[in-house]
Each structure stands twice: as structure tokens, then as C-alpha cells.
Amino acid sequence: MSDNDVVLKSKGLGKSYRMGATKVEVLKGLDLAVRRGEFVAIIGASGSGKSTLLHILGALDKPDKGTVSFEGRDLGRQSGRELNRFRNKMVGFVFQFYHLLDELSVLENVSLPTMASRSILGWFGCRRRAKKRAVELLVQLGLGERIKHKPYQLSGGERQRVAIARALMNKPDLLLADEPTGNLDSVTGNGILDVFEELNKAGQTIVMVTHDDRIAERAGRIITLADGKIRT
Amino acid sequence: MYKLILATRYLLKRRITYFAVLAVALCVFIVVVVMTVMTGLVGDFKEKNHDFAGDCVVSSESLVGFPYYEDYVGKLEASEAVEGVSAVIRSYGLLSPRGRDVNRGVEIMGIDPARHSRATGFGDTLHHRREDVAKAFVPSYDPNLPGCVLGIDLALERDSNGGYAYDSSPRRVGFSISCFPLTARGALAGAGTALANTKTFYYSDHSHSGLARVDDSIIYLPFDEAQALCGMAGATKRINAIHIKFKPNVKLQAGCEDVRRLWAIFKTEKANESQAYLLNTVAVQDWKVHRRTLIAAMEKEQMIMGAMFGFVGIVTVFIVLVVFYMLISHKSKDIGVLRSIGVSNVDIIELFGGFAFMVGLAGSGLGVLGGWQFLLRINSIERWLFAHFEFQVWDRTMFAIGDIPSEVSPKVLAVIVVSAIAACLIGALIPSWQAVRLRPVETLQVNQL
Ligand SMILES: Nc1ncnc2c1ncn2[C@@H]1O[C@H](COP(=O)(O)OP(=O)(O)OP(=O)(O)O)[C@@H](O)[C@H]1O
Ligand SMILES: [Mg+2]
């Protein structure tokens, strides 16, 4: 595998949580590489550290040991501003519990990443284009009729699709999803996976966490997390 | 942009925000009303004391008074800084309406009405002779009788609204006034057979200074008569005080310094006179110091009120802090989401700061508006309460304060509004600062604040 192809690479990742006197070592020197255009599923038992790993990969958390590099740049060496840019432009995050902002409409939630990276004037400059992109994404995800709704008016599956649209808004190089179907019934969950497959076919790199083997099978590559390391 | 949208949405869509706005509004309302009434009362009281005393008072602690004053008055009148000078006899005496066998102690003030009006606000306190102060001691019913000006509460009854039943012209009433004349050594002078000097004066007008202690115990007499009654009109004439008013452009302290300087010169000139020792009892004071026993009490009250409302302010800050703490803890998930999409900490603090600013602005706006409207009506409300329930904030037959002060000072308002907004900002910044210090994942997990 050529190094140019690798979007995301981690080396010797270590992470532990301290709970009073006891120290829980969750990740123990984990190495991982994700190539551009891959659809990777990370599986593992509950508590094996899947979410922890994904948060570190998306720069929402910091490892105690080891490095994460994205397109060759070490995230650990980046400034706060650069990390914010990374979170805004390079990765899109999909959470198990959707995490939409209740006060904003579906369209506003989806547009949020673009709004967040611009000043008021900048926003007025690109508002049309951003709105068009958000609507396109929502239509693509089957939510064309829902753009004015508020999150609480949507079903779980619909909310997750809004969250996916938000994650894709700034055309990230990498889509990270933490149990995106964990809160949904199997039919709805399959719908979400269909979306992922389609996105992947169009070239989107995806790393998805799940504890369900059958869901993982939809991905191109399955990585098993056990005992703080990748099992090979 | 999202900051503005989100802040506005938080403001409009969350019911708890309304409570925050309401809490701010209530506290601002209370502080506005109390501060206005309190500063109004104190300001009014000070002004009345100022009117009563003039700018500067040269006075002797002793009832014996001090001599040679004509020379000093001459020096003062020649001074650039001085507008009016009034030499005054101050003493105590007994007042009894003629033909009745009752008497009461009063404070006697012997003045030249025209001069005293130039040095103090005396002329404006008169009723019948306000336009012709020089004739204050001339009874309109018989110009040949010796007149006296009574403190209004000695002359007229006060009704429950604090008003008086004025007569169109003064009634013909005579009062006999007895004084206890003192020699220059401070002994009672045996004038005639009795120890007291007595003379009858006729009610020519009354004086309404608005100071309860003055209005119910003072009687003004013509200067010469008072001087004679008090035994101060001998070969070496004496007085008790000189009231001075400065020209409008003269600063109070500078004026008083000038008066002090002239006094020192005067004292040296008279050092070898036989009664020069009496000059040592004299002090030069500005009106605030001269009336300090009264004003200090009032200011102390104001300070205590201020402190109490300082506590109200602290409680407000605390309430606002708690409300924001709850609100933002509730929104810590939002903070996590915002940070997961790359919003910076500064922007998040700005977002909640902006939100707090809006709450503060809305709350203090409401509070100020409410307070202002309430103050506009406070006196009619009080009158209505009195008409229906006999309730009065203070009993007008006892206190010489008419309406409840209700003039809103823009400065006070500005201070209150700025403090309220600052309280909101502090209340919001503490929890949002705590939220952004966490790693994004921590805020995404269940509320940890
Ligand atoms: N903030 C924290 N403090 C202490 N321990 C934590 C914290 N977050 C996670 N852990 C511990 O780390 C371990 C891994 O947690 P993680 O959430 O990564 O597991 P997971 O594989 O995602 O599990 P699940 O499939 O249930 O989501 C768990 O044992 C958990 O108790
Ligand atoms: Mg997990």
C-alpha cells in the first residue's frame, strides 16, 4: 500500500482513564491505517474502546501515547486553530445519538458547519451556495420535504440522516460514524447503511464503529478491536 | 451568523430564559425604584438644608455669641466671592399665644429679612411676603405692629396629604416671646426685675423650609428686636452667626477658604479688644459641615440602603448565575456538537456572552421601563391606597416630606443597566468557560458540568 493513498494513520495509540485509584487502559499501542476511498468498519465488544478510538481519530480527544496523522500531518502537533479547521473541513462526525441542535431547523443544522467557518459577511457571500448544497444533500438523503422541520419533529432514522447530511456538508475527506445505526431498528439502520454504501461508491472514505457483525459486513474492510489493539 | 441565530433562538425558544429575563427585570425594577426614591429624598433633604443655611456659616458654638461683627461683615461684603451676607441672632425662648396660658420652647432667629434672603433661601420659604421679603415682619393687618415669622408647623395645621390650609392673609395673632439674655461672660443678665426679657410680636407670615425640625420650632424676629431680647445689643453688640452665599461661579471650598482667611485677619486686628476671647468660639463651616448632624444621619441611612441593595444586587448576580449555569449545563451537549464541527472556544464564549447580553438587555430594559412607569404613578398609587385603605408610605401629618420623589436620574439608570448586563455576562461566562475547557468528547457525554 503506497503511502500517498493513506488518509489516516495512527501509530502506537495509547489511552487510559483514571477512575480514582484504578487506571483503565483502553488503548494499548494501537496501529491503524485507512486508505482513501475505503469503507472500514471497526467492531469490538462493548467497552473495548471503539468510541474512544474514533474520538481520537476525529481530534475530539487526545491520546496519552502515540500519534494520529491525517494526510501526513501529525494532529498532535497542530494548534487549536488548525484542529478546529480540521474538525470543520476534513472530517465529518456522525454520532449514535444524532446530536442535532434542537433550536435550529433541519436546514440550519445541516448548514451549521459552513456557517461556523465564516463571519457574518462571509456567510452572506456564500449563503445561496451553502443553502443549495444543504438542500441537495437533504434531497439525496430523502429529506427534501423536511428542511423546515425541527429535529424533535423527526423520527430517529430521519434525524440520523440529518446528522449525516451535516457531516457531509463541508465535503470532508473522512466520515467518522460511531454506531450510526445503534439507536435505530434494522430496517431503518439498513437504510442508513445504504446511504453509506452509496457515498462510499462515490469515493467517500468512511470509518464506522459498530458492535454488530452483520452491519460490519456491509463495509469493505472489518477491523476487530480487542484488548486495546487491532486483532489480526 | 450562527452565533446570532443560536443566541436569539436560545433567548426565544427556551422557557427558562424567560425566567432569567424576568429575574433580571425584577431586580432592576426594585433597584431603580428604591434608588430613585432614596437619592430623591436625600438630595431633597440636602438641598433644603443648603437653602436654609446658605453656602457658608460663621458661627459661635456658644449662645453668648461674638462681638465686633460689623467690621467682619464689612470685609465679607467687600470680597469678590461673596454675594450675600446675613448676620443672625440665634437663641432659644418661650412662645405663648397672647391671652393663653400655654407656652412652648422655640428656636429664635433674629434676621434682617432682605439680607437673609440674599444669603439663604429664606425668601422663598415665605407665603404672604414672598414677593416683598423686606416686609416679612410687617403684619398686613397693621403695619405698625412688630411682626414675626413662624415656622409653618407652629402657624398652620398639616393635613393627611401634607398640605396646609392657607389663609389668604395672616390672621391677627399676637405671641409673647420670652428670652433669657446673657452677658458677655455668659451669665444671665438681670434686665428689669425678671430674668427674662419678654415682648409681644404679631404673626406676619410663616416660613416653610421643608425641614421638619426647623418648621415646627423656629420663629424669626426682626434682627434688632432679637438682639435686644437676647441681651446682645449693649455697648458692644454681639451676634451668633453669619450666613454667607457665594457668587455662582465660586467653588464652595474656595469660597470658604476666603471666608476663613478674612476671619483670621479680622481676629488679629481685634486681638487686643476687651471681648476678643469670644472670637475663639467661632468656626467657619461650609453648609454641609454646619448641618452635618442632620445630613450625616440621612447619608448614613442612604449608605445602609445602598449596602442593602448592594446585597440585592449580589443576590441578583447569583440568581442570574444559577439560571445561566442551568441553561448552559443543559446546553453543554450543544457546545460539544459545535466543537465537533470545528467551532472555536472563543466563538462559543462569544455565543453565550451574546446570549447573556441579550438577556441582560431585555431584562434591564423591562425593569427600567417598569420602574419608570411605576415611579410616574407612585404618588397617585399612594394617594389611591390612602383613599381606599388609609395606607401611607409615611404619615404626612408627622413628616414634612410631601410627594414621594420619583424623578428618575439617567445616571442612576445607566449604572443599574450596565451592572445588570455585567451580572448576566459574568453569570454566563463562568459556565461557558468551564464548558470550553473540557475536551469536546466530555461535553458530548452526558452533562458533566
Ligand atoms: N470519560 C471516561 N472516564 C472513565 N472511563 C471511561 C471514559 N470514557 C470511556 N471510559 C471507559 O473506557 C472504556 C472504553 O469506552 P468506549 O466508550 O470507547 O467503549 P466502546 O467500545 O465504544 O463501547 P460501546 O460499544 O458500549 O459504545 C470503557 O471501559 C469505559 O468505561
Ligand atoms: Mg461506543
Side-chain angles (χ1 to χ4, degrees):
Chain A
M1 133 177 119
S2 97
D3 246 20
N4 300 350
D5 263 5
V6 175
V7 189
L8 188 69
K9 190 172 179 174
S10 79
K11 251 192 139 57
L13 278 190
K15 180 82 182 173
S16 52
Y17 293 107
R18 195 176 287 281
M19 296 288 283
T22 56
K23 196 169 139 191
V24 188
E25 262 197 282
V26 183
L27 303 179
K28 305 170 184 168
L30 184 145
D31 300 322
L32 175 76
V34 178
R35 270 164 290 161
R36 194 176 299 284
E38 252 192 323
F39 182 4
V40 179
I42 299 176
I43 59 168
S46 182
S48 57
K50 307 181 295 291
S51 296
T52 305
L53 172 63
L54 205 69
H55 290 147
I56 291 173
L57 295 180
L60 298 186
D61 205 349
K62 284 200 165 112
D64 300 335
K65 272 185 253 145
T67 57
V68 178
S69 51
F70 182 82
E71 292 181 337
R73 281 194 301 273
D74 184 355
L75 292 185
R77 289 167 183 276
Q78 305 218 311
S79 67
R81 180 194 285 261
E82 285 168 329
L83 283 180
N84 283 331
R85 211 184 107 76
F86 170 75
R87 293 182 194 123
N88 186 254
K89 296 254 167 17
M90 315 294 179
V91 288
F93 234 102
V94 179
F95 302 96
Q96 181 178 352
F97 298 103
Y98 332 125
H99 288 335
L100 301 175
L101 302 191
D102 304 330
E103 279 80 13
L104 299 183
S105 71
V106 164
L107 185 67
E108 286 163 339
N109 263 292
V110 174
S111 313
L112 199 58
T114 309
M115 271 198 250
S117 62
R118 283 179 165 78
S119 65
I120 290 189
L121 285 180
W123 169 245
F124 278 113
C126 74
R127 191 179 45 169
R128 280 244 178 77
R129 233 178 321 129
K131 191 177 166 191
K132 193 163 155 259
R133 161 107 182 124
V135 173
E136 267 171 23
L137 277 169
L138 285 166
V139 169
Q140 189 189 339
L141 291 167
L143 290 167
E145 307 291 303
R146 301 279 193 199
I147 60 172
K148 291 253 154 61
H149 287 59
K150 287 283 163 67
Y152 68 87
Q153 296 167 316
L154 302 181
S155 72
E158 287 167 334
R159 287 185 212 187
Q160 194 58 298
R161 279 181 279 161
V162 175
I164 293 169
R166 179 178 66 192
L168 294 173
M169 181 65 190
N170 277 352
K171 301 185 179 151
D173 295 296
L174 179 64
L175 185 66
L176 299 174
D178 191 356
E179 313 227 19
T181 59
N183 223 26
L184 304 172
D185 62 63
S186 59
V187 178
T188 321
N190 273 323
I192 298 292
L193 291 170
D194 292 342
V195 171
F196 278 17
E197 263 177 7
E198 232 171 273
L199 288 169
N200 181 240
K201 270 194 203 119
Q204 178 71 52
T205 315
I206 302 173
V207 176
M208 175 180 76
V209 159
T210 177
H211 58 262
D212 188 333
D213 294 343
R214 273 179 307 169
I215 290 168
E217 271 157 22
R218 306 274 302 258
R221 176 154 72 106
I222 300 176
I223 293 173
T224 308
L225 192 59
D227 199 23
K229 282 182 182 154
I230 305 274
R231 192 178 335 153
T232 39
Chain B
M1 188 62 198
Y2 66 100
K3 283 183 259 178
L4 209 65
I5 296 177
L6 260 180
T8 327
R9 297 286 164 83
Y10 287 158
L11 186 70
L12 299 177
K13 300 277 179 219
R14 303 211 65 89
R15 209 162 303 148
I16 191 169
T17 323
Y18 293 124
F19 285 107
V21 171
L22 215 64
V24 175
L26 267 176
C27 295
V28 166
F29 173 83
I30 291 174
V31 175
V32 163
V33 169
V34 172
M35 291 295 263
T36 301
V37 172
M38 213 48 215
T39 35
L41 283 180
V42 174
D44 186 55
F45 185 73
K46 279 189 180 170
E47 200 176 296
K48 284 170 176 166
N49 272 291
H50 190 180
D51 282 344
F52 178 76
D55 289 326
C56 181
V57 181
V58 179
S59 63
S60 162
E61 295 275 317
S62 153
L63 281 179
V64 175
F66 60 94
Y68 321 126
Y69 61 92
E70 291 99 333
D71 291 355
Y72 183 53
V73 168
K75 279 189 203 300
L76 286 174
E77 280 174 337
S79 162
E80 286 281 300
V82 172
E83 172 138 340
V85 183
S86 170
V88 171
I89 308 291
R90 298 200 67 160
S91 187
Y92 298 92
L94 290 175
L95 170 113
S96 62
R98 278 233 331 182
R100 286 173 57 196
D101 205 13
V102 290
N103 64 52
R104 56 165 298 170
V106 287
E107 227 177 293
I108 292 171
M109 215 157 155
I111 56 167
D112 174 317
R115 281 175 147 266
H116 202 59
S117 294
R118 253 176 277 132
T120 70
F122 173 72
D124 293 330
T125 69
L126 298 178
H127 183 70
H128 301 297
R129 294 294 196 193
R130 184 182 298 203
E131 303 305 325
D132 193 3
V133 183
K135 287 197 179 144
F137 295 124
V138 181
S140 51
Y141 43 81
D142 187 349
N144 295 318
L145 292 173
C148 66
V149 172
L150 293 171
I152 191 166
D153 291 318
L154 290 173
L156 301 175
E157 287 293 323
R158 186 139 33 104
D159 64 27
S160 57
N161 291 322
Y164 294 91
Y166 293 107
D167 297 318
S168 54
S169 59
R171 281 162 295 145
R172 183 189 174 109
V173 194
F175 295 96
S176 82
I177 312 244
S178 305
C179 263
F180 309 93
L182 297 172
T183 66
R185 285 284 165 198
L188 273 175
T193 49
L195 283 178
N197 267 344
T198 301
K199 185 169 173 161
T200 299
F201 294 90
Y202 288 84
Y203 172 45
S204 57
D205 202 348
H206 52 255
S207 158
H208 187 187
S209 70
L211 297 167
R213 284 199 210 175
V214 171
D215 287 342
D216 76 348
S217 69
I218 203 160
I219 176 165
Y220 292 95
L221 299 178
F223 179 82
D224 296 333
E225 305 273 7
Q227 202 171 31
L229 272 174
C230 296
M232 294 177 155
T236 312
K237 290 186 170 155
R238 283 175 280 133
I239 57 166
N240 297 91
I242 301 171
H243 291 243
I244 301 156
K245 188 193 222 148
F246 299 124
K247 296 217 166 91
N249 57 346
V250 176
K251 292 237 167 61
L252 184 65
Q253 289 318 319
C256 290
E257 270 321 304
D258 206 39
V259 172
R260 256 179 222 117
R261 186 179 54 80
L262 291 174
W263 178 259
I265 296 171
F266 165 72
K267 215 168 125 182
T268 341
E269 283 170 10
K270 301 290 173 190
N272 296 322
E273 300 285 342
S274 60
Q275 291 180 17
Y277 61 93
L278 284 175
L279 299 181
N280 294 325
T281 63
V282 176
V284 177
Q285 297 168 321
D286 66 51
W287 65 273
K288 285 180 206 156
V289 176
H290 184 67
R291 307 287 293 176
R292 68 184 172 274
T293 41
L294 297 169
I295 294 175
M298 196 78 176
E299 280 182 337
K300 189 136 280 169
E301 265 175 52
Q302 190 188 24
M303 214 182 73
I304 290 169
M305 285 299 259
M308 271 164 50
F309 279 88
F311 286 128
V312 172
I314 292 171
V315 172
T316 314
V317 174
F318 192 73
I319 291 173
V320 169
L321 197 121
V322 169
V323 170
F324 274 103
Y325 206 93
M326 283 164 57
L327 209 82
I328 294 175
S329 310
H330 209 76
K331 292 277 114 191
S332 68
K333 191 198 80 183
D334 286 16
I335 295 178
V337 172
L338 289 172
R339 291 188 58 196
S340 80
I341 60 165
V343 172
S344 73
N345 290 347
V346 176
D347 283 344
I348 282 168
I349 287 178
E350 264 178 33
L351 163 67
F352 285 99
F355 168 62
F357 182 79
M358 289 194 221
V359 170
L361 203 66
S364 48
L366 271 179
V368 163
L369 204 73
W372 179 50
Q373 289 298 317
F374 179 72
L375 285 167
L376 278 183
R377 293 176 179 79
I378 190 166
N379 282 297
S380 17
I381 291 172
E382 202 211 16
R383 273 193 284 281
W384 185 87
L385 283 175
F386 183 65
H388 290 82
F389 304 104
E390 304 243 312
F391 172 84
Q392 264 185 324
V393 176
W394 53 76
D395 187 342
R396 298 300 193 283
T397 56
M398 282 165 69
F399 294 93
I401 306 163
D403 280 351
I404 304 171
S406 55
E407 207 166 304
V408 188
S409 137
K411 213 168 91 185
V412 170
L413 283 190
V415 168
I416 294 172
V417 169
V418 168
S419 329
I421 292 176
C424 291
L425 286 177
I426 294 168
L429 289 185
I430 292 172
S432 29
W433 176 244
Q434 281 197 335
V436 298
R437 264 183 29 208
L438 297 174
R439 285 165 294 143
V441 265
E442 287 175 307
T443 36
L444 278 173
Q445 286 156 356
V446 200
N447 294 341
Q448 298 213 342
L449 286 176

